[in-house]
Amino acid sequence: MNAQQLPDECVLRVLDYLWEEPRLHEFFERRSQHAHVYDQQRVHTVLRARSVAPMHVCRAWRQPSVRRYYRTLVVDLRSQNAPLPDAAVLARHVLVLANSVQSDSGLSMQFPDAHTLGLCVFDSQDACPSVSHGLASALHSALPNLSSIWLQCVGSIGQFAQTVLEDLSARSSARVTAMHFESTESRSCVSGIIRSHAHNLQFLSLGKVSGGVLSTLVVHKGKQLVYKRLKRLLFAIPSNTHIYADVPEYTTSSFPQLEELYFDDAHSTGLPREEWFAPLFDVFLSHPTRLKYLTFPIVYNTQRCVSRDNCPELVGLRHIKCCWATGAWSSQQRESDSTRVLSAIASIPSLECYVHPSYIARLSHVPSDIMCTRLWRLDLYGWPLTVNNMCWVLRVFEQLQTLRVTLVQSEDVDDVWQPTSSVLKCLTVGSADSGLE
């Protein structure tokens, strides 16, 4: 069989390799923990910059090549540019960029086989209702086989996006499965949009969210909200906010199917306080979860721990923003925080990566029950470990490929380090006496 006779499936694999664009892959696969990856404007730029060289091929390859190239189309209603009619027929994903003052003239054509709509809305507070209804009507006509809607709101969030979604949902059976916001601080209408589609959401990126808004997404009018299909949640909390302590304690989780939870601490400054993070733990981690990847703050001097009890399927854990609990948030401890934390993460059999590059008290003793035998990356840079501690780590975690630790001076050196595993590829050792990075 020569190259011209390859099955379409093989040809498409070759073309995917030639057009491999990590940013597009991250956008559609929804696998990144960074919110900016889901910005449709960014994807628009990537699509426009694609090379057309793989289109200049023989006739046998051209048909699948064209089909793959036009699988995703961008319609920018803020400009007069519109896709070619032939391309519209091939589209499977249509990304629409619209604002609340433009017409829907760019949607005069149909996308008969498109099943996903990415709607990026540049909203304003003075949107005309007729524009909202007109856009919803045009979208419904242009995408007759629509099944999934991804919403992104940019800038000021008013009633425009909510009206478009309500109207479009009433006209079609499509589900709103993904939402991405730059910020949801003090935005009551955002809470309404999210709550209206809580039962169908699979992906939710809140951006910077206030404690008040986040609370209303868990409890509304005294009733618990359950996001029964939500798989991934991203959010950031400024340093002057927290989940209100009066959120009731429920017997079941509001996020029963959540697999990935990412707390972005880039906007959080100042000294962390337990009244911000302890309630967050209670909302997301007080019940058994199905989490596989977790980036979350850690609260010391408390029994709030990520362990096999609440995260039995966890694969990757990154602890950020540590704080010490006091008063009502604290609890009596029989061992040091470092021993408690290490014992907890060691109890998770599926864990492969643990990152905690923050200062913590010395180990009072090393855990005896180690179940995470798959661990290949361990970052404890900032933990004051002795040589004995490091030797113990290398002994019990035999699959480690990357280890990062900080050593402190100690007169108790019982072990001579003789690595028992040949898989270790990277060892980074810092000294507490010379300062941390």
Side-chain angles (χ1 to χ4, degrees), residues 78 98-103 121-132 135 156 159-161 164:
R78 303 167 303 167
N99 60 31
S100 53
V101 295
Q102 290 293 122
S103 67
V121 175
F122 298 81
D123 212 339
S124 67
Q125 299 293 342
D126 56 351
C128 177
S130 62
V131 176
S132 306
L135 178 58
S156 177
Q159 292 296 319
F160 178 64
V164 171

Side-chain angles (χ1 to χ4, degrees), residues 191-207:
S191 301
I193 294 174
I194 295 172
R195 288 195 300 266
S196 298
H197 301 278
H199 56 295
N200 287 322
L201 280 175
Q202 298 175 16
F203 170 88
L204 178 59
S205 176
L206 295 170

Side-chain angles (χ1 to χ4, degrees), residues 422-436:
S422 61
V423 299
L424 189 66
K425 299 177 180 178
C426 180
L427 172 63
T428 304
V429 180
S431 170
D433 299 326
S434 60
L436 303 180

Side-chain angles (χ1 to χ4, degrees), residues 30 40 94 115-121 136 139-140 143 146-152 161 164-170 172-180 197 200-203:
R30 304 267 147 174
Q40 283 187 203
V94 179
H115 52 78
T116 302
L117 166 65
L119 179 60
C120 181
V121 175
L139 289 170
H140 176 62
L143 297 107
L146 184 63
S147 62
S148 183
I149 302 172
W150 299 351
L151 173 70
Q152 176 182 348
V164 171
L165 283 186
E166 289 177 353
D167 203 341
L168 188 56
S169 299
S172 73
S173 59
R175 296 176 175 179
V176 181
T177 59
M179 290 185 180
H180 170 60
H197 301 278
N200 287 322
L201 280 175
Q202 298 175 16
F203 170 88

Side-chain angles (χ1 to χ4, degrees), residues 196-410:
S196 298
H197 301 278
H199 56 295
N200 287 322
L201 280 175
Q202 298 175 16
F203 170 88
L204 178 59
S205 176
L206 295 170
K208 292 174 62 178
V209 58
S210 69
V213 170
L214 196 52
S215 296
T216 62
L217 297 181
V218 179
V219 183
H220 183 57
K221 295 182 178 179
K223 294 183 178 180
Q224 180 187 20
L225 295 173
V226 178
Y227 297 75
K228 60 182 180 180
R229 291 187 174 90
L230 192 66
K231 301 289 186 182
R232 305 191 68 246
L233 175 62
L234 293 79
F235 66 93
I237 289 186
S239 58
N240 59 347
T241 189
H242 61 274
I243 295 290
Y244 295 144
D246 59 358
V247 173
E249 294 184 8
Y250 293 104
T251 57
T252 58
S253 173
S254 292
F255 309 93
Q257 300 298 319
L258 196 64
E259 295 181 358
E260 300 181 34
L261 173 60
Y262 296 108
F263 180 110
D264 181 3
D265 64 334
H267 303 288
S268 180
T269 58
L271 183 65
R273 297 173 61 179
E274 69 274 9
E275 63 264 31
W276 302 340
F277 297 150
L280 278 177
F281 185 99
D282 295 343
V283 167
F284 292 106
L285 299 171
S286 59
H287 301 289
T289 70
R290 302 189 66 179
L291 282 168
K292 290 181 171 58
Y293 299 95
L294 174 63
T295 298
F296 210 73
I298 184 170
V299 183
Y300 299 143
N301 196 32
T302 175
Q303 293 297 325
R304 292 174 177 85
C305 245
V306 176
S307 68
R308 182 177 55 181
D309 294 333
N310 53 5
C311 297
E313 303 175 31
L314 202 63
V315 175
L317 171 60
R318 178 173 175 257
H319 270 139
I320 57 171
K321 293 293 183 184
C322 59
C323 65
W324 282 261
T326 58
W329 300 112
S330 63
S331 55
Q332 190 67 33
Q333 303 297 306
R334 295 180 299 176
E335 53 194 11
S336 69
D337 283 312
S338 54
T339 296
R340 179 178 59 86
V341 172
L342 198 57
S343 300
I345 68 109
S347 72
I348 307 173
S350 55
L351 194 66
E352 298 179 6
C353 173
Y354 179 55
V355 177
H356 183 342
S358 301
Y359 178 78
I360 192 171
R362 288 194 184 193
L363 290 167
S364 54
H365 62 273
V366 294
S368 57
D369 192 9
I370 306 298
M371 301 187 66
C372 57
T373 56
R374 304 178 189 176
L375 195 71
W376 65 268
R377 181 188 178 192
L378 183 61
D379 188 341
L380 302 179
Y381 206 73
W383 289 42
L385 300 183
T386 65
V387 172
N388 278 352
N389 295 153
M390 187 180 73
C391 291
W392 173 84
V393 167
L394 292 167
R395 229 182 2 252
V396 299
F397 300 113
E398 296 182 351
Q399 299 302 314
L400 274 181
Q401 298 181 29
T402 301
L403 174 63
R404 194 166 177 251
V405 297
T406 300
L407 292 183
V408 295
Q409 289 185 352
S410 174

Side-chain angles (χ1 to χ4, degrees), residues 49-104:
R50 285 183 304 175
S51 170
V52 296
M55 303 274 282
H56 301 157
V57 291
C58 65
R59 183 180 301 176
W61 282 55
R62 180 166 175 76
Q63 186 175 0
S65 178
V66 170
R67 192 166 67 245
R68 182 62 90 217
Y69 188 82
Y70 291 120
R71 178 177 52 178
T72 302
L73 292 179
V74 174
V75 181
D76 192 346
L77 298 182
R78 303 167 303 167
S79 67
Q80 299 301 317
N81 296 327
L84 298 173
D86 292 342
V89 175
L90 299 172
R92 297 296 181 271
H93 314 290
V94 179
L95 308 181
V96 176
L97 288 78
N99 60 31
S100 53
V101 295
Q102 290 293 122
S103 67
D104 53 14

